[in-house]
Amino acid sequence: MSEAVSRRSAMRLLAAAGTAGTALGAGACAPGVPPGAGARTAPPAAPAAAEAKGAARIDALLERLTLDEKTALLHGAPDPDSLGQAGYVPGVPRLGIPALRLADGPAGVRVARPATALPAPVLLASAFDPALAREYGRVIGREGRALGQDVLLSPMVNLIRTPYAGRNFETFAEDPRLTADLVGEMIRGIQDEGLIATVKHFALNNQEHGRDTVDVIAAEQTLHETELRGFEAAVAAGAGAVMGAYNKVNGVHACESKALLEEVLRGSWGFDGWVMSDWDATHSTVASIGAGLDMEMPGGTHFGGPLREAVRGGSVPEGAVDLAVHRILTTMDRFGLLTAPPAARPRRDAAAGARTARKVATAGAVLLRNEHGTLPLTGAAARSIAVIGPTGQVPFVSGGGSAHVLPDGAAAPLTAIRRRAGNGSTVPYALGEDLYGRPLPAKLLTPAADLEERAVDPGRVWSHEGEFRLAADDEWTLLVHYTGKRPVVRLDGEELFPVRQGVAEYFAGGLLGSAPDGMSVRRTTLALTAGAHRLAVTAEGGDKGQRFRLRHTTGAIRAADLAEAVKTAKSARSVVLFAYEDATEGRDRTSLALPGGQERLIEAVTAANPRTTVVLNTSSSTTMPWLSRTGAVLQMYYPGQEGAGATADLLFGDADPGGRLTQTFPADEQATPVGGDPLRYPGVGGRQEYSEGVHVGHRWYDAQGVTPLFPFGHGLSYTTWQYEKLTVRPERAGLRVEFTVRNTGRRKGTEVAQVYVGPSAELELDQPVRALAGYRRLALAPGEAERVTLDISERALSSWDPERHAWVLGSGRRQVFVGRSSRELPLRSKAVVASR
């Protein structure tokens, strides 16, 4: 059905949250969550007297602030002593109001100094473990404080709606329930350490394509049952700040949407922190501050001089400015930032951060396929291992964009595998595909030039122009590596590496954007015809001087790399082949297939040695036409700085792969919730409709009867599992579900038991065929069984009624499903949900 809504209903569509409560994580998935996690625990609420004293202090500060000082607190500015962070808001020293430093941080603190590079949030989410999310958050919170930051621009909770979205690795899941549980605990962890968390991007920023301009049309029920649940959970967890999105929502820019910022966020959910814009996502002065936007980032285009003029001219009441300042100062005071003297910052605990990084990478890894006992590697298969692929030698730590972190260090998987295989083993390596190019022969050009290691002194310009000749048509990839201003390279008069617009220029990927030695990299692939070609290079030294090199790959180089990989695979008992896909903020993927020649590489290697495990360092779901030829497939996403050790632990069976997919992997690019419908994705004429309604992710596959490649919740183990003895009974306005999980294999293992509920016949609302209602992560010894009890909350059994603008309970007979994934559900029962 169409989900277009009128402008009038768009302004009404986000009304009161109803009486079903806001604690999304209550009851149904409480495994391992620390006591009291359902309340605002970070930082602890102040006693009433202290709260009153703080409010009086804020009021006193407001009275003393000038209009110029007030507006200076409402927008970013250049940092005179930058630490390499994303944003800075100057304080008011005469009144003891400190500056704020704001750092990116979905997977670690992104500043100029090293920090713990944690696994991508999507890998964290795959563990289905809220307690681990809290530990993850605490690492970031401590490090953010230690590295001089006050505000973290994280977590990102936008749903994985399309597998093409460039930032899927930065967020958690396609499922609203799982997302809500995890974001709440991550925020508590961050703020336990005194760092202000900023949940983003509010709302419906589910793609990079056209993110600055696209108008997202979503109906009221769709919004509340899908995208908004994670944000509501963030507010319930006490998030200090919210970041408004770039896109429009139902015709209005998100950062000037009164429906979102005032009616829902503050009115329905009671949010009492401040709202900042995403970087350059503010589009107005009067409309934005009137709608509830408090802070423009990163500068003051609208909230600087224009805001002061609007106040003086009467189009913005000074009370609106006071209210925005009050929200910011109140949050700062809540976190002790207005205390004199300020609290001492902690020291970084790099060792503790590394331990958590490895723990998360191990816990979230998903074993997608395992045939004929390919994994774990044991016996002869563990002593003769060919490692193939560029990311076997170059660690793929994190994706590109604002999530990219400078780690203390990161080992190569090849090193970790060789160490774990031990003395007496043979672990040869083959590149398979060259990501960074080979040196151009010095005599290729006439006149000759060495373009491998050129240094250009400060203030100097180096240039060279020459000719080379090809004997036959060929496909070349040309690459420039550089340390300063990008050299200008022209081939037959055409510039190969032009400066791109916007973030695309700066966010070039977490793997492909820089060489192993840290030099920036740009590349282009083109078909060259036989005959003569002219190559011209100009490089400027700038203020500091620079180094650069020009490299290439050719058809002959690619063929030789492939042949070497096949030869290496044949020489070994088993193969571990590392495959990659490099996603980044600023652009969406153009295909779900592995890039470059990787499919051809996998096909050739598996033909040479069927005991091949493919390790995927990818951002999101991947199509796998080569799947049936493999022995095993291990999904590691972007595993952070400790990914090499975690990968080795899993390959050799030192740990059981306990991760489960938080997103459906489609069998075909067209068979997705948005596939084949440009109005759903990427939009038509700047307009996009979420016409899938409440059927996001795995719900769509169930509703349409489409078989995926791998379903939501899927993940294999090195042991076997049995589910039995399901009972379901009413419990208040919810359900109590009990069942037994038994480890029937010979190894200790990790299982994620999942509970889904069917629709209510008594609700005349669109409902999922099955909705995730609870889960429990278990670790059991061989032969051990555990009786699992999960309470399915009223919220999990409710739908949003757009006529009542409230949650309504789906009473009556409901079906309950229990099992290992959204499609493997051996236990089923029914129970009656009593109406309130």
Side-chain angles (χ1 to χ4, degrees):
M1 67 176 182
S2 172
E3 300 224 356
V5 291
S6 69
R7 179 166 181 83
R8 180 180 177 186
S9 61
M11 294 303 294
R12 296 174 51 232
L13 73 101
L14 303 169
T19 60
T22 60
L24 302 185
C29 42
V33 178
R40 295 188 182 184
T41 60
E51 216 169 78
K53 184 178 179 182
R57 180 165 59 249
I58 303 305
D59 290 341
L61 283 172
L62 270 170
E63 288 182 7
R64 298 177 63 190
L65 286 166
T66 67
L67 180 61
D68 285 357
E69 289 171 335
K70 291 175 187 175
T71 57
L73 292 170
L74 303 187
H75 64 80
D79 187 347
D81 301 299
S82 177
L83 302 177
Q85 79 280 1
Y88 175 81
V89 178
V92 183
R94 75 178 184 88
L95 297 179
I97 301 173
L100 289 174
R101 288 189 168 90
L102 304 86
D104 289 317
V109 183
R110 187 171 187 257
V111 292
R113 290 173 55 192
T116 300
L118 291 159
V122 70
L123 183 53
L124 165 70
S126 300
F128 279 71
D129 188 345
L132 188 60
R134 189 161 190 164
E135 181 179 338
Y136 185 101
R138 292 194 74 139
V139 169
I140 299 177
R142 180 185 177 94
E143 293 208 346
R145 290 280 298 147
L147 292 167
Q149 304 304 305
D150 308 294
V151 182
L152 185 77
L153 306 175
S154 178
M156 174 179 172
V157 299
N158 302 104
L159 295 182
I160 297 176
R161 177 175 179 262
T162 168
Y164 293 100
R167 302 181 78 174
N168 281 349
F169 66 95
E170 287 188 55
T171 190
F172 297 106
E174 69 187 18
D175 186 82
R177 174 55 188 271
L178 178 62
T179 297
D181 294 336
L182 297 175
V183 66
E185 288 309 301
M186 185 172 171
I187 284 173
R188 292 181 180 100
I190 292 165
Q191 297 190 162
D192 281 346
E193 301 295 327
L195 192 68
I196 300 171
T198 307
V199 65
K200 64 184 186 183
H201 310 82
F202 193 56
L204 300 175
N205 183 180
N206 303 115
Q207 66 190 56
E208 293 300 280
H209 184 91
R211 70 178 187 179
D212 297 326
T213 56
V214 68
D215 184 7
V216 182
I217 307 302
E220 182 174 336
Q221 184 185 1
T222 299
L223 269 167
H224 279 275
E225 291 195 29
T226 62
E227 178 83 353
L228 293 188
R229 290 191 70 182
F231 291 99
E232 184 182 4
V235 171
V242 170
M243 179 187 291
Y246 285 110
N247 50 279
K248 295 178 182 178
V249 176
N250 295 319
V252 181
H253 284 290
C255 287
E256 55 189 52
S257 170
K258 196 166 187 176
L260 281 173
L261 303 184
E262 288 295 334
E263 295 177 20
V264 171
L265 184 64
R266 294 194 174 100
S268 298
W269 299 343
F271 176 65
D272 56 8
W274 88 83
V275 179
M276 71 180 77
S277 73
D278 205 339
W279 271 223
D280 297 313
T282 307
H283 295 275
S284 63
T285 300
V286 176
S288 293
I289 198 164
L293 183 70
D294 301 308
M295 181 182 288
E296 177 190 8
M297 293 302 294
T301 303
H302 300 283
F303 277 22
L307 180 56
R308 292 190 292 274
E309 292 171 12
V311 171
R312 289 167 182 146
S315 57
V316 171
E318 189 164 357
V321 172
D322 289 348
L323 181 56
V325 173
H326 194 281
R327 290 167 179 153
I328 294 166
L329 293 180
T330 299
T331 306
M332 292 175 67
D333 190 51
R334 173 185 159 206
F335 284 81
L337 298 180
L338 299 183
T339 303
R345 292 186 181 271
R347 297 184 63 180
R348 260 196 82 210
D349 189 341
R355 287 192 296 271
T356 296
R358 184 157 178 168
K359 180 178 179 180
V360 172
T362 305
V366 185
L367 184 61
L368 298 176
R369 172 180 169 88
N370 192 21
E371 297 295 313
H372 311 299
T374 299
L375 292 180
L377 298 173
T378 58
R383 295 190 296 272
S384 173
I385 310 165
V387 176
I388 295 171
T391 48
Q393 189 177 49
V394 177
F396 197 164
V397 174
S398 62
S402 57
H404 194 69
V405 178
L406 178 65
D408 294 294
L414 175 62
T415 302
I417 291 170
R418 282 175 172 167
R419 182 183 299 116
R420 177 59 181 80
N423 295 332
S425 63
T426 57
V427 186
Y429 173 74
L431 183 63
E433 181 186 42
D434 193 334
L435 299 184
Y436 305 108
R438 305 287 215 280
L440 286 164
K443 294 183 180 180
L444 174 73
L445 294 178
T446 304
D450 183 0
L451 298 175
E452 174 58 14
E453 287 293 343
R454 302 296 312 191
V456 185
D457 292 333
R460 304 297 297 272
V461 176
W462 184 92
S463 62
H464 183 85
E465 185 171 353
E467 183 178 281
F468 67 94
R469 183 172 294 274
L470 293 183
D473 294 353
D474 199 357
E475 183 180 83
W476 276 39
T477 298
L478 282 162
L479 307 94
V480 61
H481 302 208
Y482 56 99
T483 62
K485 180 181 178 181
R486 185 155 73 244
V488 175
V489 181
R490 290 188 171 86
L491 182 67
D492 298 329
E494 182 179 349
E495 188 172 348
L496 298 183
F497 311 108
V499 174
R500 294 181 288 183
Q501 295 297 312
V503 295
E505 172 60 25
Y506 302 102
F507 296 156
L511 176 70
L512 302 178
S514 59
D517 64 357
M519 295 178 84
S520 297
V521 177
R522 294 294 186 272
R523 57 180 53 73
T524 188
T525 299
L526 56 163
L528 297 184
T529 57
H533 297 273
R534 294 201 64 80
L535 184 70
V537 183
T538 301
E540 299 178 15
D543 296 335
K544 299 179 181 178
Q546 78 154 315
R547 295 180 299 112
F548 80 92
R549 53 186 174 241
L550 194 65
R551 290 188 168 183
H552 76 314
T553 58
T554 65
I557 290 172
R558 285 187 284 271
D561 287 343
L562 183 64
E564 181 63 23
V566 169
K567 179 181 176 183
T568 303
K570 287 180 177 178
S571 73
R573 182 65 179 267
S574 57
V575 176
V576 178
L577 190 157
F578 287 83
Y580 73 91
E581 178 264 320
D582 193 9
T584 185
E585 179 180 355
R587 66 170 185 265
D588 283 347
R589 303 161 71 188
T590 57
S591 170
L592 303 188
L594 294 171
Q598 292 184 95
E599 290 191 351
R600 186 167 61 249
L601 174 65
I602 293 172
E603 289 168 356
V605 167
T606 52
N609 191 331
R611 289 188 61 87
T612 295
T613 297
V614 176
V615 177
L616 292 171
N617 292 134
T618 55
S619 67
S620 192
S621 57
T622 304
T623 51
M624 304 180 194
W626 38 264
L627 180 66
S628 63
R629 301 179 180 91
T630 64
V633 179
L634 180 65
Q635 175 62 258
M636 291 297 298
Y637 295 107
Y638 301 153
Q641 69 180 50
E642 303 300 318
T647 302
D649 288 344
L650 293 155
L651 292 173
F652 287 91
D654 299 333
D656 192 48
R660 303 294 183 262
L661 290 181
T662 69
Q663 57 191 304
T664 307
F665 277 35
D668 179 83
E669 296 213 18
Q670 295 301 307
T672 76
V674 299
D677 187 346
L679 194 55
R680 288 189 184 179
Y681 175 82
V684 176
R687 176 187 171 92
Q688 182 180 49
E689 293 189 3
Y690 280 35
S691 54
E692 70 273 18
V694 300
H695 305 289
V696 64
H698 60 94
R699 300 174 178 184
W700 179 87
Y701 288 86
D702 289 341
Q704 299 297 318
V706 173
T707 300
L709 183 64
F710 296 112
F712 173 88
H714 170 75
L716 303 178
S717 169
Y718 291 150
T719 188
T720 54
W721 302 93
Q722 182 174 316
Y723 285 70
E724 56 192 18
K725 301 176 183 177
L726 171 64
T727 64
V728 184
R729 66 177 186 270
E731 186 79 12
R732 301 185 181 88
L735 296 172
R736 173 156 288 184
V737 179
E738 297 183 10
F739 55 93
T740 298
V741 178
R742 188 181 306 276
N743 181 346
T744 55
R746 298 180 178 180
R747 301 173 59 98
K748 180 180 179 181
T750 302
E751 176 66 329
V752 177
Q754 301 159 46
V755 177
Y756 297 80
V757 294
S760 165
E762 297 185 8
L763 282 183
E764 295 183 358
L765 294 168
D766 198 16
Q767 299 172 71
V769 174
R770 280 182 294 275
L772 181 68
Y775 50 87
R776 176 69 56 81
R777 184 178 175 92
L778 308 166
L780 299 179
E784 185 181 5
E786 182 170 329
R787 188 70 178 165
V788 177
T789 300
L790 290 176
D791 288 328
I792 308 303
S793 67
E794 181 177 350
R795 169 62 69 86
L797 298 166
S798 298
S799 296
W800 183 268
D801 187 337
E803 295 296 324
R804 301 183 190 180
H805 308 296
W807 292 99
V808 293
L809 179 64
S811 56
R813 188 172 295 275
R814 304 288 293 268
Q815 192 163 16
V816 175
F817 310 81
V818 178
R820 306 193 68 244
S821 77
S822 65
R823 290 295 177 93
E824 187 179 347
L825 298 164
L827 303 183
R828 302 184 180 199
S829 183
K830 293 181 179 179
V832 174
V833 176
S835 58
R836 286 187 286 108

